[in-house]
Amino acid sequence: MKSIRKPRLSKMDYAQKKALWGFIYVLPWLIGFLIFFFVPLLSSLRFSFSSITANSDGITVKYIGLQNYVEALTINTSFNRVLAESIVNIVVNIPLIVIFSLFLAVLLNQKFIGRSVARAIFFLPVILASGVIMNLESTSLVQAISDASSGAKVVRSLQSFELEKLMLQAGVSEWIVNYLTGSVDRIYQIVSQSGVQILIFLAGIQTISPQLYEASKMEGATGYEAFWKITFPMVSPLILVNVIYTIVDSVSTNEITDLILDTGFSAFNFGLSSAMATIYFLAVTLILLVSTYLISRKVFYYD
């Protein structure tokens, strides 16, 4: 009886090779996730149900049930407010950042003098937002930027008031007007968090076949129609990628994470801190699941 041989790599079809190489590329992340994230996640979950005290023998972990969660949600005076504000900021900023990134990527994909410099300028906030630069609060450059931003807030407030009054007179819904005018006050945050997304959209736009645009021009399509019929559907998978990236990037540093760190490493209440972190983790996971479900239904995949 002949032994059954496993198919070699050369005999695998394109889909099998693609799946194999995809697993190989993901494998380093998977190993890092299991070693550096999954184990601490289980420890944090255990601590959230426990009271932790330090003594001469180390730390003592005592199971207390849901007491830390009850304290975080009902007794702690800051957690509910900060959690709600952080979630609202995430939900509000995601559409603004993704739309702004796509708009800038389309513009930066056009041919014009100084295109490389313009791309570098829009990626510069990512470098300036790094930990080393942000810690240089005492430098004259950072102080000058802060002073200029403070002065610009007054001008932006006046401009927002005029814009709000103009749109209300035009019959635009009040909640849409408040959303758009509120985005003016977030313009620095939007620009500073859009660098990576712009690069992702730009890379995706450059992979679109030029023949599609040439054929659309021959059919008499305008640039507006070409964007909605060609560019937008072709980059729709990247919209999902950028939404997920923006959510993860937004939750890394904000008021709720500062509160969790202060509770754990300043007040040394690691059980309560772990409970807060678990609640925040579940809230962000829910946002990710809802966003992925809604966007994936409209994603267009080109074979």
Side-chain angles (χ1 to χ4, degrees):
M1 184 176 179
K2 296 182 179 180
S3 60
I4 300 175
R5 295 183 178 180
K6 295 182 180 180
R8 297 182 179 178
L9 183 61
S10 59
K11 294 182 180 180
M12 299 173 64
D13 58 19
Y14 175 74
Q16 292 174 331
K17 291 181 179 179
K18 187 176 180 180
L20 177 61
W21 282 110
F23 177 76
I24 292 175
Y25 282 122
V26 173
L27 187 59
W29 175 88
L30 183 60
I31 296 174
F33 171 81
L34 294 175
I35 297 176
F36 299 107
F37 184 81
F38 186 69
V39 175
L41 179 63
L42 293 179
S43 299
S44 177
L45 184 62
R46 176 195 173 200
F47 292 160
S48 67
F49 294 100
S50 307
S51 174
I52 303 173
T53 56
N55 49 45
S56 59
D57 297 329
I59 61 173
T60 302
V61 180
K62 180 182 178 182
Y63 177 78
I64 59 173
L66 298 176
Q67 183 175 335
N68 288 324
Y69 291 92
V70 173
E71 181 177 354
L73 295 174
T74 61
I75 300 177
N76 191 279
T77 58
S78 302
F79 179 70
N80 287 334
R81 175 184 58 82
V82 176
L83 177 64
E85 291 177 354
S86 299
I87 293 176
V88 169
N89 287 333
I90 292 172
V91 175
V92 170
N93 288 340
I94 288 172
L96 297 174
I97 294 173
V98 173
I99 293 173
F100 177 80
S101 302
L102 179 58
F103 175 73
L104 261 296
V106 173
L107 292 182
L108 294 175
N109 191 53
Q110 307 298 320
K111 294 182 179 179
F112 57 89
I113 299 175
R115 182 175 62 174
S116 299
V117 177
R119 292 177 180 177
I121 290 174
F122 281 102
F123 190 72
L124 191 61
V126 178
I127 302 175
L128 294 178
S130 62
V132 176
I133 302 297
M134 289 297 291
N135 289 331
L136 300 178
E137 296 180 355
S138 60
T139 61
S140 58
L141 175 60
V142 175
Q143 186 63 36
I145 294 175
S146 177
D147 294 340
S149 300
S150 300
K153 287 182 179 179
V154 179
V155 179
R156 287 201 303 268
S157 299
L158 295 175
Q159 293 173 343
S160 299
F161 176 75
E162 294 296 331
L163 181 61
E164 180 179 354
K165 184 170 66 174
L166 181 63
M167 287 190 293
L168 289 175
Q169 292 176 353
V172 182
S173 176
E174 184 176 356
W175 74 270
I176 296 178
V177 173
N178 293 332
Y179 181 77
L180 294 177
T181 54
S183 64
V184 177
D185 296 330
R186 295 184 174 91
I187 188 64
Y188 175 77
Q189 185 178 3
I190 294 170
V191 174
S192 62
Q193 294 183 348
S194 299
V196 175
Q197 292 88 329
I198 292 174
L199 289 182
I200 294 175
F201 276 131
L202 190 60
I205 293 173
Q206 291 177 348
T207 61
I208 301 176
S209 175
Q211 284 77 13
L212 294 175
Y213 293 104
E214 293 176 0
S216 65
K217 288 183 179 179
M218 294 178 62
E219 294 293 334
T222 62
Y224 178 83
E225 293 172 335
F227 172 79
W228 288 108
K229 298 296 182 180
I230 299 176
T231 305
F232 188 79
M234 297 293 284
V235 300
S236 59
L238 298 180
I239 294 177
L240 178 59
V241 173
N242 278 331
V243 167
I244 295 176
Y245 174 83
T246 304
I247 294 174
V248 175
D249 184 57
S250 300
V251 302
S252 58
T253 53
N254 50 32
E255 292 185 8
I256 188 68
T257 55
D258 294 337
L259 177 61
I260 293 172
L261 290 174
D262 290 339
T263 303
F265 296 96
S266 296
F268 298 103
N269 193 341
F270 294 104
L272 179 60
S273 176
S274 299
M276 291 179 176
T278 302
I279 296 173
Y280 185 44
F281 174 78
L282 293 176
V284 173
T285 301
L286 180 62
I287 296 175
L288 284 170
L289 291 176
V290 172
S291 302
T292 303
Y293 173 75
L294 295 177
I295 298 175
S296 60
R297 299 175 61 187
K298 302 296 182 181
V299 169
F300 170 78
Y301 291 101
Y302 177 75
D303 295 329

